[in-house]
């Protein structure tokens, strides 16, 4: 799951004229964000940018953030082919914070250690404006034994309770933190963890 690993995968995909991910957005991300009024958004760990491209097609102003220039290059080519505009940002999602407050941060299958994922959730909270939404989906730890696919390293998998704890620590209001059963293209069931959280408004100033 290192930069080198993903850069090699995206470079090979570009060399063969293929892609790693489909052009369609993640279904859970589409269901959650499709109910929101378009505004400004960030796709953290965007890869080839499928979720960023979908949001842009709905009228969102989107920044796609990933540490792989090869992945971003594929996304940029896709954006040109379908006629949408996305800001492509080469940066480490575990350290990057949006320079401007945004309405939405999405994270899809950014598989990190518990500590690193908590750090990204804090960064996402810092990137959101008051009232903004974080929508996160990733492979659940139970997927190792009861699901299909995904990383086989338990330290890179999370649970809804861990996501809730990280969101609480980041000062977000948790709307839901649940398991999500996802049917793969070949009919297998994979188990994901999901989180929807919002950034509360700051408390009013105290009057002396």
């Amino acid at each position: 799951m290192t930069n080198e690993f993903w850069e090699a995968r995206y470079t090979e995909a570009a060399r063969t004229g293929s892609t790693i991910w489909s052009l369609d957005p993640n279904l859970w991300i589409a269901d959650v964000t499709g109910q929101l009024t378009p505004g400004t958004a960030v796709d953290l760990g965007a890869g080839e940018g499928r979720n960023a491209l979908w949001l842009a097609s709905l009228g969102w102003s989107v920044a796609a953030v990933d540490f792989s220039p090869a992945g971003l290059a594929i996304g940029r080519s896709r954006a040109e082919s379908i006629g949408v505009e996305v800001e492509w940002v080469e940066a480490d999602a575990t350290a990057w914070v949006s320079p401007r407050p945004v309405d939405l941060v999405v994270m899809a299958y950014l598989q990190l250690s518990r500590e690193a994922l908590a750090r990204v959730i804090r960064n996402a909270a810092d990137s959101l404006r008051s009232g903004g939404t974080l929508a996160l989906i990733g492979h659940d730890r139970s997927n190792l034994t009861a699901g299909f696919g995904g990383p086989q390293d338990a330290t890179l998998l999370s649970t809804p309770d861990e996501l809730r704890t990280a969101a609480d620590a980041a000062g977000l209001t948790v709307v839901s933190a649940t398991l999500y059963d996802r049917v793969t293209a070949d009919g297998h069931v994979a188990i994901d963890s999901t989180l929807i959280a919002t950034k509360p408004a700051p408390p009013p100033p105290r009057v002396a």
Side-chain angles (χ1 to χ4, degrees):
M1 297 299 166
T2 63
N3 189 353
E4 293 76 13
F5 171 84
W6 285 111
E7 184 69 3
R9 287 197 67 185
Y10 289 129
T11 298
E12 178 62 16
R15 186 188 67 80
T16 59
S18 61
T19 59
I20 295 175
W21 313 112
S22 70
L23 184 59
D24 297 327
N26 173 267
L27 289 178
W28 182 85
I29 292 289
D31 285 344
V32 171
T33 61
Q35 304 173 35
L36 304 176
T37 301
T40 53
V42 168
D43 183 1
L44 274 178
E48 297 167 334
R50 62 177 183 150
N51 295 313
L53 294 169
W54 182 77
L55 288 167
S57 74
L58 297 181
W60 289 84
S61 176
V62 191
V65 181
D66 200 276
F67 59 13
S68 170
L72 294 175
I74 294 172
R76 189 176 293 109
S77 176
R78 283 179 159 187
E80 292 174 357
S81 69
I82 63 176
V84 299
E85 291 188 6
V86 172
E87 179 185 2
W88 303 96
V89 180
E90 183 183 337
D92 184 346
T94 66
W96 187 86
V97 175
S98 176
R100 298 170 298 278
V102 298
D103 300 301
L104 172 67
V105 175
V106 299
M107 295 166 53
Y109 306 104
L110 185 56
Q111 305 299 143
L112 300 166
S113 69
R114 187 172 181 175
E115 295 76 14
L117 185 59
R119 187 162 61 248
V120 177
I121 290 174
R122 287 198 302 272
N123 292 343
D126 290 341
S127 296
L128 287 171
R129 70 172 74 253
S130 296
T133 299
L134 168 63
L136 183 159
I137 185 169
H139 300 288
D140 187 78
R141 192 167 297 124
S142 66
N143 193 61
L144 275 176
T145 55
F148 176 81
Q152 300 300 295
D153 182 348
T155 66
L156 299 178
L157 305 174
S158 57
T159 68
D161 284 345
E162 291 171 359
L163 297 179
R164 179 184 294 275
T165 297
D168 286 341
L172 297 173
T173 300
V174 175
V175 177
S176 68
T178 62
L179 292 175
Y180 175 78
D181 289 346
R182 171 175 47 87
V183 180
T184 67
D186 49 6
H188 293 95
V189 176
I191 306 170
D192 295 333
S193 293
T194 68
L195 171 72
I196 304 172
T198 59
K199 186 169 184 175
R206 297 180 61 184
V207 178

